[in-house]
Amino acid sequence: MPGTLYLIATPIGNLGDMSPRAIETMKAVDVIACEDTRHTLKLLNHFGISKKLVSYHEHNESARAEELAAILAEGGSVGLVSDAGTPAINDPGLILVQKARSIGAEVISIPGPVAFVNAAIVSGLPTDSLFFGGFLPSKQGERRKRLAEIASIPATLVFYESPHRIGRSLADCLDILGDRTASVSRELTKIHEETLTGSLSGILEHILSANSRGEYVLVIDRDRSGRETRSGSSSLQERVAELEAAGHDNRAALKMAAKEHGLSRSEAYRQLQLSRPGDT
Ligand code: SAM
């Protein structure tokens, strides 16, 4: 009978968040798969756990999943941890989970810290409906396009962001989503934990002037303007019309509106053509 894969959450900064069940499970499994063996060894040493570690990271995920699945197929048990937080949440895990399921192994989660849930609950924004978008694309055009796509989702939007991109991402959020209520958390569970709340513009100003370090979670309110968002082709059309009314010629207006929507000029042109009834 196949064995069990345990997805074990570990602290996102504060070792006090390691659960007794996580420790017990790490002690009990046959092998622990982890992103970085040196990093996880420190965690194991801290909690007096002695266990065989194998690396499982984004560059060897497929091959390692096969090897780990072979252990599961023989009835063995595997624990999977990431460097911080919950495995398979913007961390390696998915391929192994799929592999384990495909051979009939049990997959059990050992719950614990996850950054986006904790940032959402301290934000003061509604948590009845959350859209977790992981990391926004690193390229600006793709990022703006993604933001335009999700602008009208009726849920609180949550994103992970790295310290060197937080300013640029906030600026794009402000530009594409408008000046919504938002919250930015950094260093959650650590000594310098900080959550800034307010408008996107206010938070952006603070982040740019403070030059703080740390990893961020960005939480943004849903659209409350009641107007059509900028994501549809009709709003693209409206924006072109607005820019033309402001004195830009059609070519410049199309170029500017396309950039705001994260679209190429040809794609914006195509969408405009599609949105004009009878105009083929
Ligand atoms: N698996 C992790 C989890 O469960 O949250 C997420 C891993 S992802 C590679 C790393 C990102 O999570 C960081 O860039 C940051 O956006 C967020 N993050 C992780 N720890 C954090 C913390 N202590 N404070 C704020 N954000 C954190």
Side-chain angles (χ1 to χ4, degrees):
M1 207 175 112
T4 304
L5 169 65
Y6 294 93
L7 305 172
I8 308 168
T10 58
I12 54 171
N14 190 325
L15 289 177
D17 294 331
M18 186 80 173
S19 79
R21 193 165 164 234
I23 297 172
E24 276 166 32
T25 309
M26 286 174 119
K27 283 182 176 165
V29 290
D30 293 317
V31 60
I32 295 173
C34 59
E35 273 188 283
D36 178 343
T37 49
R38 276 173 307 177
H39 180 94
T40 299
L41 186 60
K42 283 188 201 150
L43 186 78
L44 261 58
N45 288 341
H46 182 88
F47 290 103
I49 304 166
S50 169
K51 189 63 57 179
K52 181 178 176 203
L53 292 176
V54 297
S55 71
Y56 178 83
H57 48 68
E58 56 176 337
H59 305 296
N60 70 1
E61 228 185 319
S62 297
R64 242 335 119 70
E66 293 288 338
E67 293 167 26
L68 294 165
I71 297 173
L72 292 168
E74 285 166 15
S77 56
V78 174
L80 176 67
V81 300
S82 63
D83 280 352
T86 298
I89 295 291
N90 283 96
D91 270 335
L94 177 65
I95 294 176
L96 182 56
V97 172
Q98 290 175 340
K99 193 80 209 157
R101 291 219 165 276
S102 75
I103 61 164
E106 244 196 299
V107 182
I108 302 280
S109 83
I110 307 295
V114 55
F116 84 86
V117 169
N118 291 285
I121 62 173
V122 300
S123 70
L125 289 165
T127 50
D128 57 325
S129 182
L130 292 176
F131 172 83
F132 173 54
F135 287 96
L136 283 165
S138 53
K139 290 193 178 140
Q140 187 180 39
E142 288 170 25
R143 184 163 64 233
R144 292 171 72 93
K145 186 170 177 219
R146 179 89 181 113
L147 286 166
E149 282 165 2
I150 59 183
S152 56
I153 292 176
T156 297
L157 310 176
V158 190
F159 304 103
Y160 282 163
E161 198 45 275
S162 65
H164 63 276
R165 237 187 340 252
I166 185 73
R168 277 173 283 158
S169 282
L170 277 169
D172 284 335
C173 288
L174 175 60
D175 209 20
I176 303 290
L177 305 176
D179 203 3
R180 300 188 188 181
T181 306
S183 159
V184 167
S185 291
R186 66 179 193 100
E187 305 280 86
L188 285 162
T189 77
K190 302 184 195 176
I191 295 170
H192 299 294
E193 170 166 351
E194 181 183 38
T195 293
L196 301 168
T197 57
S199 62
L200 270 173
S201 59
I203 292 173
L204 174 61
E205 204 181 314
H206 186 283
I207 295 264
L208 293 180
S209 63
N211 196 21
S212 322
R213 303 179 76 83
E215 298 180 286
Y216 293 86
V217 186
L218 177 54
V219 187
I220 305 173
D221 199 10
R222 69 197 68 187
D223 181 30
R224 296 195 184 274
S225 65
R227 65 179 156 73
E228 208 179 329
T229 65
R230 288 179 175 193
S231 57
S233 53
S234 63
S235 64
L236 178 72
Q237 197 173 18
E238 280 169 16
R239 186 66 184 137
V240 172
E242 271 171 31
L243 290 163
E244 284 178 343
H248 298 280
D249 64 30
N250 178 263
R251 196 180 153 81
L254 182 65
K255 191 175 171 191
M256 289 162 77
K259 191 166 181 233
E260 286 177 10
H261 284 70
L263 300 171
S264 67
R265 203 158 29 149
S266 57
E267 173 59 19
Y269 180 76
R270 195 187 66 79
Q271 288 192 13
L272 276 183
Q273 295 307 306
L274 288 174
S275 66
R276 284 185 182 136
D279 216 13
T280 51

